[in-house]
Amino acid sequence: MKPPSINHIKKENSKLKNSDLIINISKLSEGIHNYHLNTKSINLELDERFNDNVDLNVVLDKTASQILLKTEIDTNGNFECDRCLTTFSQHIHTSYTLMYLYQTQEFDIENEIQIINKDTVYIDLAEDVRQYILLAIPIKLLCKEDCKGLCPICGKNLNEGRCDCIIDAIDPRWEALSKLIRNKNK
Ligand SMILES: [Zn+2]
Ligand SMILES: [Zn+2]
């Protein structure tokens, strides 16, 4: 699945400070170059759900007029299950492709292209990596696919066993109600 488009026409300077995700391209020869980069999620100013390392496998393909970057990103997040509200760890994998185009004049193009010039020394991946990780968080967060959720009556986590309430089946529509109950009981 392709992530929603991010407008990559932007300033070369990352908003993030002290990025570990910088590649020096000033003396890069033409051809394929591989990098393994990593940083702590805190350096990417991700939210508190992320506290693991972020690993990148980067491939740069340089020609005279452009550098094509392909990167695979791996990290872990701690999320709250939508059904039972327990926290679970989930691996987040995402990837993106970005073209760095050597141009003296900026022109208007959408999509994953960033303008650089012959004097560009560094490319910093941090801000892009941050955005792609956030886009990779699943919309539906479940601790496991068959999570039984909370009893809508007593709020018990039904993954830990049944309760004495009389319910025929947990209807997904109960989720919102059971969350309310659970929050009240907190
Ligand atoms: Zn759950
Ligand atoms: Zn119950």
Coordinates of all heavy atoms in Angstrom, one line a residue, residues 31 34 59 85 94 119 164 167 176:
G31 N 26.7 5.8 -9.3 CA 26.5 4.3 -9.0 C 25.7 4.1 -7.7 O 25.1 5.0 -7.2
N34 N 25.2 1.7 -0.6 CA 24.4 1.2 0.5 C 24.8 1.8 1.8 O 26.0 1.9 2.1 CB 24.5 -0.3 0.5 CG 23.8 -1.0 -0.7 OD1 22.6 -1.0 -0.8 ND2 24.6 -1.4 -1.6
V59 N 19.6 2.8 0.1 CA 20.3 2.6 -1.2 C 20.2 3.9 -1.9 O 19.1 4.5 -2.2 CB 19.7 1.5 -2.0 CG1 20.4 1.3 -3.3 CG2 19.6 0.2 -1.3
L85 N -7.6 -2.2 25.4 CA -6.9 -1.1 26.0 C -5.5 -1.5 26.6 O -4.9 -0.7 27.3 CB -7.7 -0.3 27.1 CG -9.1 0.1 26.6 CD1 -9.8 0.9 27.7 CD2 -9.0 1.1 25.4
T94 N 8.3 0.4 7.2 CA 7.8 1.3 6.2 C 9.0 1.5 5.2 O 10.1 1.2 5.5 CB 7.2 2.6 6.7 OG1 6.6 3.3 5.6 CG2 8.2 3.4 7.4
D119 N 26.3 22.0 -5.0 CA 27.1 22.3 -3.8 C 26.5 21.6 -2.5 O 27.0 21.7 -1.4 CB 27.1 23.8 -3.5 CG 27.7 24.6 -4.7 OD1 28.6 24.1 -5.3 OD2 27.2 25.7 -5.0
D164 N -18.9 -13.1 34.6 CA -20.2 -13.7 34.9 C -21.4 -12.9 34.3 O -22.5 -13.3 34.4 CB -20.5 -13.8 36.4 CG -19.4 -14.6 37.1 OD1 -19.0 -15.6 36.5 OD2 -19.0 -14.3 38.2
I167 N -23.7 -12.0 28.2 CA -23.6 -11.4 26.9 C -23.5 -12.6 25.9 O -22.7 -13.5 26.1 CB -22.4 -10.6 26.7 CG1 -21.9 -10.0 28.0 CG2 -22.6 -9.5 25.6 CD1 -20.4 -9.7 28.1
A176 N -16.8 1.1 21.9 CA -16.8 2.4 22.4 C -17.4 2.5 23.8 O -16.8 3.2 24.7 CB -17.7 3.3 21.4

